[in-house]
mmCIF file of all heavy atoms in Angstrom:
data_model
loop_
_atom_site.group_PDB
_atom_site.id
_atom_site.type_symbol
_atom_site.label_atom_id
_atom_site.label_comp_id
_atom_site.label_asym_id
_atom_site.label_seq_id
_atom_site.Cartn_x
_atom_site.Cartn_y
_atom_site.Cartn_z
ATOM 1 N N LEU A 1 -29.618 -28.873 -8.200
ATOM 2 C CA LEU A 1 -30.530 -29.157 -7.104
ATOM 3 C C LEU A 1 -31.738 -28.256 -7.257
ATOM 4 O O LEU A 1 -31.613 -27.074 -7.544
ATOM 5 C CB LEU A 1 -29.868 -28.887 -5.759
ATOM 6 C CG LEU A 1 -28.677 -29.762 -5.399
ATOM 7 C CD1 LEU A 1 -28.086 -29.332 -4.078
ATOM 8 C CD2 LEU A 1 -29.080 -31.218 -5.352
ATOM 9 N N ALA A 2 -32.908 -28.815 -7.046
ATOM 10 C CA ALA A 2 -34.130 -28.027 -7.166
ATOM 11 C C ALA A 2 -34.337 -27.185 -5.908
ATOM 12 O O ALA A 2 -34.124 -27.660 -4.790
ATOM 13 C CB ALA A 2 -35.317 -28.957 -7.373
ATOM 14 N N GLY A 3 -34.737 -25.919 -6.097
ATOM 15 C CA GLY A 3 -35.029 -25.049 -4.962
ATOM 16 C C GLY A 3 -33.811 -24.797 -4.108
ATOM 17 O O GLY A 3 -32.703 -24.601 -4.597
ATOM 18 N N SER A 4 -33.992 -24.821 -2.806
ATOM 19 C CA SER A 4 -32.883 -24.543 -1.885
ATOM 20 C C SER A 4 -32.481 -25.813 -1.144
ATOM 21 O O SER A 4 -32.225 -25.779 0.047
ATOM 22 C CB SER A 4 -33.291 -23.449 -0.898
ATOM 23 O OG SER A 4 -34.429 -23.872 -0.166
ATOM 24 N N ASN A 5 -32.450 -26.912 -1.845
ATOM 25 C CA ASN A 5 -32.079 -28.179 -1.223
ATOM 26 C C ASN A 5 -30.601 -28.202 -0.879
ATOM 27 O O ASN A 5 -29.790 -27.497 -1.477
ATOM 28 C CB ASN A 5 -32.416 -29.352 -2.152
ATOM 29 C CG ASN A 5 -33.911 -29.518 -2.314
ATOM 30 O OD1 ASN A 5 -34.623 -29.549 -1.324
ATOM 31 N ND2 ASN A 5 -34.375 -29.593 -3.543
ATOM 32 N N SER A 6 -30.229 -29.026 0.073
ATOM 33 C CA SER A 6 -28.852 -29.188 0.502
ATOM 34 C C SER A 6 -28.334 -30.546 0.074
ATOM 35 O O SER A 6 -29.112 -31.460 -0.189
ATOM 36 C CB SER A 6 -28.759 -29.087 2.031
ATOM 37 O OG SER A 6 -29.200 -27.834 2.470
ATOM 38 N N ILE A 7 -27.029 -30.670 0.045
ATOM 39 C CA ILE A 7 -26.390 -31.953 -0.241
ATOM 40 C C ILE A 7 -25.891 -32.517 1.083
ATOM 41 O O ILE A 7 -25.178 -31.843 1.822
ATOM 42 C CB ILE A 7 -25.201 -31.790 -1.209
ATOM 43 C CG1 ILE A 7 -25.675 -31.271 -2.555
ATOM 44 C CG2 ILE A 7 -24.465 -33.106 -1.376
ATOM 45 C CD1 ILE A 7 -24.551 -30.950 -3.515
ATOM 46 N N PHE A 8 -26.269 -33.740 1.384
ATOM 47 C CA PHE A 8 -25.775 -34.428 2.563
ATOM 48 C C PHE A 8 -25.009 -35.642 2.075
ATOM 49 O O PHE A 8 -25.540 -36.463 1.327
ATOM 50 C CB PHE A 8 -26.937 -34.865 3.471
ATOM 51 C CG PHE A 8 -27.694 -33.717 4.047
ATOM 52 C CD1 PHE A 8 -28.836 -33.240 3.427
ATOM 53 C CD2 PHE A 8 -27.254 -33.092 5.192
ATOM 54 C CE1 PHE A 8 -29.539 -32.180 3.946
ATOM 55 C CE2 PHE A 8 -27.948 -32.020 5.729
ATOM 56 C CZ PHE A 8 -29.091 -31.556 5.108
ATOM 57 N N LEU A 9 -23.740 -35.753 2.486
ATOM 58 C CA LEU A 9 -22.901 -36.858 2.032
ATOM 59 C C LEU A 9 -22.591 -37.786 3.194
ATOM 60 O O LEU A 9 -22.308 -37.337 4.294
ATOM 61 C CB LEU A 9 -21.580 -36.331 1.457
ATOM 62 C CG LEU A 9 -21.692 -35.420 0.244
ATOM 63 C CD1 LEU A 9 -20.333 -34.863 -0.111
ATOM 64 C CD2 LEU A 9 -22.288 -36.168 -0.925
ATOM 65 N N GLY A 10 -22.600 -39.066 2.921
ATOM 66 C CA GLY A 10 -22.201 -40.039 3.918
ATOM 67 C C GLY A 10 -20.747 -40.436 3.746
ATOM 68 O O GLY A 10 -20.196 -41.134 4.569
ATOM 69 N N GLY A 11 -20.122 -39.957 2.675
ATOM 70 C CA GLY A 11 -18.735 -40.315 2.388
ATOM 71 C C GLY A 11 -17.899 -39.092 2.117
ATOM 72 O O GLY A 11 -17.908 -38.136 2.871
ATOM 73 N N LYS A 12 -17.214 -39.082 1.002
ATOM 74 C CA LYS A 12 -16.314 -37.990 0.669
ATOM 75 C C LYS A 12 -16.558 -37.520 -0.750
ATOM 76 O O LYS A 12 -17.190 -38.217 -1.547
ATOM 77 C CB LYS A 12 -14.859 -38.411 0.835
ATOM 78 C CG LYS A 12 -14.418 -39.487 -0.153
ATOM 79 C CD LYS A 12 -12.945 -39.803 -0.009
ATOM 80 C CE LYS A 12 -12.503 -40.774 -1.090
ATOM 81 N NZ LYS A 12 -11.064 -40.893 -1.157
ATOM 82 N N ILE A 13 -16.062 -36.337 -1.055
ATOM 83 C CA ILE A 13 -16.019 -35.849 -2.425
ATOM 84 C C ILE A 13 -14.617 -36.148 -2.920
ATOM 85 O O ILE A 13 -13.645 -35.722 -2.314
ATOM 86 C CB ILE A 13 -16.294 -34.328 -2.498
ATOM 87 C CG1 ILE A 13 -17.701 -34.029 -1.995
ATOM 88 C CG2 ILE A 13 -16.109 -33.821 -3.922
ATOM 89 C CD1 ILE A 13 -17.995 -32.548 -1.875
ATOM 90 N N ASP A 14 -14.487 -36.894 -3.975
ATOM 91 C CA ASP A 14 -13.183 -37.298 -4.484
ATOM 92 C C ASP A 14 -12.980 -36.661 -5.855
ATOM 93 O O ASP A 14 -13.710 -36.971 -6.795
ATOM 94 C CB ASP A 14 -13.116 -38.823 -4.578
ATOM 95 C CG ASP A 14 -11.710 -39.343 -4.766
ATOM 96 O OD1 ASP A 14 -10.771 -38.521 -4.864
ATOM 97 O OD2 ASP A 14 -11.546 -40.566 -4.832
ATOM 98 N N MET A 15 -12.021 -35.741 -5.948
ATOM 99 C CA MET A 15 -11.754 -35.057 -7.211
ATOM 100 C C MET A 15 -10.266 -35.145 -7.521
ATOM 101 O O MET A 15 -9.447 -35.252 -6.617
ATOM 102 C CB MET A 15 -12.176 -33.587 -7.112
ATOM 103 C CG MET A 15 -13.666 -33.440 -6.859
ATOM 104 S SD MET A 15 -14.298 -31.755 -6.943
ATOM 105 C CE MET A 15 -13.275 -30.845 -5.857
ATOM 106 N N PRO A 16 -9.905 -35.075 -8.800
ATOM 107 C CA PRO A 16 -8.482 -35.173 -9.162
ATOM 108 C C PRO A 16 -7.710 -33.928 -8.748
ATOM 109 O O PRO A 16 -8.288 -32.868 -8.516
ATOM 110 C CB PRO A 16 -8.525 -35.297 -10.693
ATOM 111 C CG PRO A 16 -9.792 -34.623 -11.084
ATOM 112 C CD PRO A 16 -10.766 -34.890 -9.975
ATOM 113 N N ASP A 17 -6.373 -34.066 -8.648
ATOM 114 C CA ASP A 17 -5.517 -32.906 -8.419
ATOM 115 C C ASP A 17 -5.637 -31.957 -9.596
ATOM 116 O O ASP A 17 -5.970 -32.353 -10.707
ATOM 117 C CB ASP A 17 -4.050 -33.335 -8.250
ATOM 118 C CG ASP A 17 -3.826 -34.040 -6.924
ATOM 119 O OD1 ASP A 17 -4.584 -33.784 -5.979
ATOM 120 O OD2 ASP A 17 -2.880 -34.834 -6.835
ATOM 121 N N ASN A 18 -5.344 -30.678 -9.353
ATOM 122 C CA ASN A 18 -5.547 -29.654 -10.376
ATOM 123 C C ASN A 18 -4.315 -28.767 -10.481
ATOM 124 O O ASN A 18 -3.918 -28.158 -9.509
ATOM 125 C CB ASN A 18 -6.758 -28.810 -10.001
ATOM 126 C CG ASN A 18 -6.992 -27.694 -10.986
ATOM 127 O OD1 ASN A 18 -6.637 -27.814 -12.138
ATOM 128 N ND2 ASN A 18 -7.571 -26.620 -10.524
ATOM 129 N N ASP A 19 -3.721 -28.709 -11.650
ATOM 130 C CA ASP A 19 -2.604 -27.788 -11.879
ATOM 131 C C ASP A 19 -3.044 -26.561 -12.656
ATOM 132 O O ASP A 19 -2.347 -25.560 -12.686
ATOM 133 C CB ASP A 19 -1.460 -28.493 -12.626
ATOM 134 C CG ASP A 19 -0.711 -29.454 -11.720
ATOM 135 O OD1 ASP A 19 -0.565 -29.133 -10.532
ATOM 136 O OD2 ASP A 19 -0.298 -30.514 -12.199
ATOM 137 N N SER A 20 -4.185 -26.611 -13.327
ATOM 138 C CA SER A 20 -4.694 -25.459 -14.074
ATOM 139 C C SER A 20 -6.166 -25.668 -14.377
ATOM 140 O O SER A 20 -6.688 -26.760 -14.232
ATOM 141 C CB SER A 20 -3.922 -25.279 -15.380
ATOM 142 O OG SER A 20 -4.134 -26.399 -16.221
ATOM 143 N N GLY A 21 -6.839 -24.617 -14.811
ATOM 144 C CA GLY A 21 -8.260 -24.730 -15.141
ATOM 145 C C GLY A 21 -9.114 -24.882 -13.911
ATOM 146 O O GLY A 21 -8.712 -24.536 -12.812
ATOM 147 N N SER A 22 -10.300 -25.425 -14.099
ATOM 148 C CA SER A 22 -11.205 -25.565 -12.963
ATOM 149 C C SER A 22 -11.516 -27.012 -12.626
ATOM 150 O O SER A 22 -12.287 -27.271 -11.725
ATOM 151 C CB SER A 22 -12.499 -24.803 -13.249
ATOM 152 O OG SER A 22 -13.134 -25.351 -14.377
ATOM 153 N N ASN A 23 -10.928 -27.994 -13.315
ATOM 154 C CA ASN A 23 -11.119 -29.396 -12.945
ATOM 155 C C ASN A 23 -10.575 -29.631 -11.551
ATOM 156 O O ASN A 23 -9.493 -29.159 -11.218
ATOM 157 C CB ASN A 23 -10.388 -30.323 -13.915
ATOM 158 C CG ASN A 23 -11.285 -30.804 -15.017
ATOM 159 O OD1 ASN A 23 -12.483 -30.599 -14.976
ATOM 160 N ND2 ASN A 23 -10.695 -31.444 -16.007
ATOM 161 N N GLY A 24 -11.297 -30.384 -10.756
ATOM 162 C CA GLY A 24 -10.806 -30.733 -9.429
ATOM 163 C C GLY A 24 -10.814 -29.592 -8.445
ATOM 164 O O GLY A 24 -10.135 -29.650 -7.438
ATOM 165 N N LYS A 25 -11.578 -28.528 -8.703
ATOM 166 C CA LYS A 25 -11.667 -27.398 -7.775
ATOM 167 C C LYS A 25 -13.067 -27.317 -7.207
ATOM 168 O O LYS A 25 -14.043 -27.576 -7.905
ATOM 169 C CB LYS A 25 -11.404 -26.069 -8.495
ATOM 170 C CG LYS A 25 -9.968 -25.765 -8.769
ATOM 171 C CD LYS A 25 -9.842 -24.353 -9.329
ATOM 172 C CE LYS A 25 -8.403 -24.001 -9.585
ATOM 173 N NZ LYS A 25 -8.259 -22.642 -10.091
#
């Protein structure tokens, strides 16, 4: 994101389950 912009979502953030590493975190 450029500068100090914010993220506004109309839905959800969908990420996979995570057993290790940083995926889905």
Side-chain angles (χ1 to χ4, degrees):
L1 296 177
S4 59
N5 292 310
S6 299
I7 297 174
F8 295 94
L9 299 174
K12 66 176 186 168
I13 297 173
D14 194 358
M15 298 188 307
D17 288 334
N18 178 28
D19 286 324
S20 64
S22 62
N23 266 350
K25 282 187 179 181

